[in-house]
Coordinates of all heavy atoms in Angstrom, one line a residue:
Q1 N -8.8 -13.0 12.4 CA -8.6 -12.9 11.0 C -7.6 -11.8 10.7 O -7.7 -10.7 11.3 CB -10.0 -12.5 10.4 CG -9.9 -12.4 8.8 CD -11.2 -11.9 8.3 OE1 -11.7 -10.9 8.8 NE2 -11.7 -12.4 7.2
V2 N -6.5 -12.2 10.0 CA -5.4 -11.2 9.7 C -5.3 -11.0 8.3 O -5.3 -11.9 7.4 CB -4.1 -11.8 10.3 CG1 -3.0 -10.8 10.0 CG2 -4.2 -12.0 11.8
I3 N -5.2 -9.7 7.9 CA -4.9 -9.3 6.5 C -3.6 -8.5 6.5 O -3.5 -7.5 7.3 CB -6.1 -8.4 6.0 CG1 -7.4 -9.2 6.0 CG2 -5.8 -7.9 4.6 CD1 -8.6 -8.4 5.8
V4 N -2.7 -8.8 5.6 CA -1.4 -8.2 5.6 C -1.0 -7.7 4.2 O -1.2 -8.5 3.3 CB -0.3 -9.1 6.2 CG1 -0.2 -10.3 5.5 CG2 1.0 -8.3 6.3
I5 N -0.5 -6.5 4.1 CA 0.1 -6.0 2.8 C 1.6 -6.3 3.0 O 2.2 -5.8 4.0 CB -0.2 -4.6 2.6 CG1 -1.7 -4.4 2.2 CG2 0.7 -4.0 1.4 CD1 -2.1 -3.0 2.0
S6 N 2.2 -7.0 2.0 CA 3.6 -7.3 2.2 C 4.3 -7.3 0.8 O 3.7 -7.6 -0.2 CB 3.8 -8.7 2.8 OG 5.1 -9.0 3.0
H7 N 5.6 -7.0 0.9 CA 6.5 -7.0 -0.3 C 7.4 -8.2 -0.2 O 8.2 -8.5 -1.1 CB 7.4 -5.8 -0.4 CG 6.6 -4.5 -0.7 ND1 6.0 -4.3 -1.9 CD2 6.2 -3.5 0.1 CE1 5.4 -3.1 -1.9 NE2 5.4 -2.6 -0.7
L8 N 7.4 -9.0 0.9 CA 8.3 -10.1 1.1 C 7.7 -11.4 0.9 O 6.6 -11.7 1.5 CB 8.9 -10.0 2.5 CG 9.7 -8.8 2.9 CD1 10.2 -8.8 4.3 CD2 10.9 -8.7 1.9
P9 N 8.3 -12.3 0.1 CA 7.7 -13.6 -0.2 C 7.6 -14.5 1.0 O 6.7 -15.3 1.2 CB 8.6 -14.2 -1.3 CG 9.9 -13.4 -1.1 CD 9.5 -12.1 -0.6
Q10 N 8.6 -14.3 1.9 CA 8.6 -15.2 3.1 C 7.3 -14.9 4.0 O 6.9 -15.8 4.7 CB 9.9 -14.9 4.0 CG 11.1 -15.3 3.3 CD 11.7 -14.2 2.4 OE1 11.0 -13.2 2.1 NE2 13.0 -14.3 2.0
I11 N 6.8 -13.7 4.0 CA 5.6 -13.4 4.7 C 4.4 -13.9 3.9 O 3.5 -14.6 4.4 CB 5.5 -11.9 5.0 CG1 6.6 -11.5 6.0 CG2 4.1 -11.6 5.6 CD1 6.6 -10.0 6.3
A12 N 4.3 -13.6 2.6 CA 3.2 -13.9 1.8 C 3.0 -15.4 1.7 O 1.9 -16.0 1.6 CB 3.3 -13.3 0.4
A13 N 4.1 -16.2 1.8 CA 4.0 -17.6 1.7 C 3.3 -18.3 2.8 O 2.8 -19.4 2.7 CB 5.4 -18.2 1.5
F14 N 3.2 -17.6 4.0 CA 2.5 -18.1 5.1 C 1.0 -18.0 5.0 O 0.2 -18.6 5.7 CB 2.9 -17.4 6.4 CG 4.1 -18.0 7.2 CD1 5.4 -17.6 7.0 CD2 3.8 -19.1 8.0 CE1 6.4 -18.2 7.7 CE2 4.8 -19.7 8.7 CZ 6.1 -19.2 8.6
A15 N 0.5 -17.2 4.0 CA -0.9 -16.8 3.9 C -1.7 -18.0 3.6 O -1.3 -18.9 2.8 CB -1.1 -15.7 2.9
D16 N -2.9 -18.0 4.1 CA -4.0 -19.0 3.7 C -4.7 -18.6 2.4 O -5.3 -19.4 1.8 CB -5.0 -19.2 4.9 CG -4.3 -19.6 6.1 OD1 -3.7 -20.7 6.2 OD2 -4.4 -18.8 7.1
R17 N -4.7 -17.3 2.2 CA -5.3 -16.7 1.0 C -4.4 -15.6 0.4 O -3.9 -14.8 1.2 CB -6.7 -16.2 1.4 CG -7.5 -15.7 0.2 CD -8.9 -15.2 0.7 NE -9.7 -16.4 1.2 CZ -10.7 -16.9 0.6 NH1 -11.1 -16.4 -0.6 NH2 -11.3 -17.9 1.1
H18 N -4.3 -15.6 -0.9 CA -3.3 -14.6 -1.5 C -3.9 -13.9 -2.6 O -4.5 -14.5 -3.5 CB -2.1 -15.5 -2.0 CG -0.9 -14.6 -2.4 ND1 0.4 -15.1 -2.5 CD2 -0.8 -13.3 -2.8 CE1 1.2 -14.2 -2.9 NE2 0.5 -13.1 -3.1
Y19 N -3.8 -12.5 -2.6 CA -4.3 -11.7 -3.6 C -3.1 -10.9 -4.2 O -2.3 -10.4 -3.5 CB -5.4 -10.7 -3.2 CG -6.7 -11.3 -2.9 CD1 -7.2 -11.5 -1.7 CD2 -7.6 -11.5 -4.0 CE1 -8.5 -12.1 -1.5 CE2 -8.8 -12.0 -3.8 CZ -9.3 -12.3 -2.6 OH -10.5 -12.8 -2.4
K20 N -3.1 -10.8 -5.5 CA -2.1 -9.9 -6.2 C -2.8 -8.7 -6.7 O -3.9 -8.8 -7.4 CB -1.5 -10.7 -7.4 CG -0.4 -9.9 -8.1 CD 0.1 -10.6 -9.3 CE 1.1 -9.8 -10.1 NZ 1.6 -10.5 -11.3
I21 N -2.2 -7.5 -6.5 CA -2.8 -6.3 -6.9 C -1.8 -5.7 -8.0 O -0.6 -5.6 -7.7 CB -3.0 -5.3 -5.8 CG1 -4.1 -5.8 -4.8 CG2 -3.4 -3.9 -6.3 CD1 -3.6 -6.6 -3.7
N22 N -2.3 -5.3 -9.1 CA -1.5 -4.7 -10.1 C -2.3 -3.7 -10.9 O -3.5 -3.6 -10.9 CB -0.9 -5.8 -11.1 CG -2.0 -6.5 -11.9 OD1 -2.8 -7.2 -11.3 ND2 -2.0 -6.2 -13.2
K23 N -1.6 -2.8 -11.6 CA -2.2 -1.7 -12.4 C -2.3 -2.2 -13.9 O -1.4 -2.8 -14.4 CB -1.4 -0.5 -12.3 CG -1.4 0.2 -11.0 CD -0.8 1.6 -11.0 CE 0.7 1.5 -11.3 NZ 1.4 2.9 -11.1
T24 N -3.4 -1.8 -14.5 CA -3.6 -2.0 -15.9 C -4.1 -0.7 -16.5 O -4.6 0.2 -15.8 CB -4.7 -3.1 -16.2 OG1 -5.9 -2.7 -15.6 CG2 -4.2 -4.4 -15.6
V25 N -4.1 -0.6 -17.8 CA -4.6 0.6 -18.5 C -5.8 0.2 -19.4 O -5.6 -0.7 -20.2 CB -3.5 1.3 -19.4 CG1 -4.1 2.5 -20.1 CG2 -2.3 1.7 -18.5
V26 N -6.9 0.7 -19.1 CA -8.2 0.4 -19.8 C -8.7 1.7 -20.4 O -9.0 2.6 -19.7 CB -9.2 -0.3 -18.9 CG1 -10.5 -0.6 -19.7 CG2 -8.6 -1.5 -18.2
N27 N -8.8 1.7 -21.8 CA -9.4 2.8 -22.5 C -8.6 4.1 -22.1 O -9.2 5.2 -21.8 CB -10.9 3.0 -22.2 CG -11.7 1.9 -22.7 OD1 -11.3 1.3 -23.8 ND2 -12.7 1.5 -22.0
G28 N -7.3 4.0 -21.9 CA -6.5 5.1 -21.6 C -6.5 5.6 -20.2 O -5.8 6.6 -19.8
Q29 N -7.1 4.8 -19.3 CA -7.2 5.1 -17.9 C -6.6 4.0 -17.1 O -6.8 2.8 -17.3 CB -8.6 5.4 -17.4 CG -9.2 6.7 -17.9 CD -10.5 7.0 -17.1 OE1 -11.3 6.1 -17.0 NE2 -10.7 8.2 -16.7
T30 N -5.8 4.4 -16.0 CA -5.1 3.5 -15.1 C -6.2 2.9 -14.2 O -6.9 3.6 -13.6 CB -4.0 4.1 -14.4 OG1 -3.1 4.7 -15.3 CG2 -3.3 3.1 -13.5
E31 N -6.1 1.6 -14.0 CA -7.0 0.9 -13.1 C -6.3 -0.1 -12.3 O -5.3 -0.7 -12.7 CB -8.2 0.2 -13.8 CG -9.1 1.2 -14.5 CD -10.3 0.4 -15.2 OE1 -10.4 -0.9 -15.0 OE2 -11.1 1.0 -15.9
T32 N -6.8 -0.4 -11.1 CA -6.2 -1.4 -10.2 C -7.0 -2.7 -10.5 O -8.3 -2.7 -10.5 CB -6.3 -1.0 -8.7 OG1 -5.4 0.1 -8.5 CG2 -5.9 -2.2 -7.8

């Protein structure tokens, strides 16, 4: 089982499962 953090689409496109992580602001606090 392989888990990879990547900035390159050519790597992410090979994945069987894909998660996107981004920041949001909730009630004035930054959250992932």
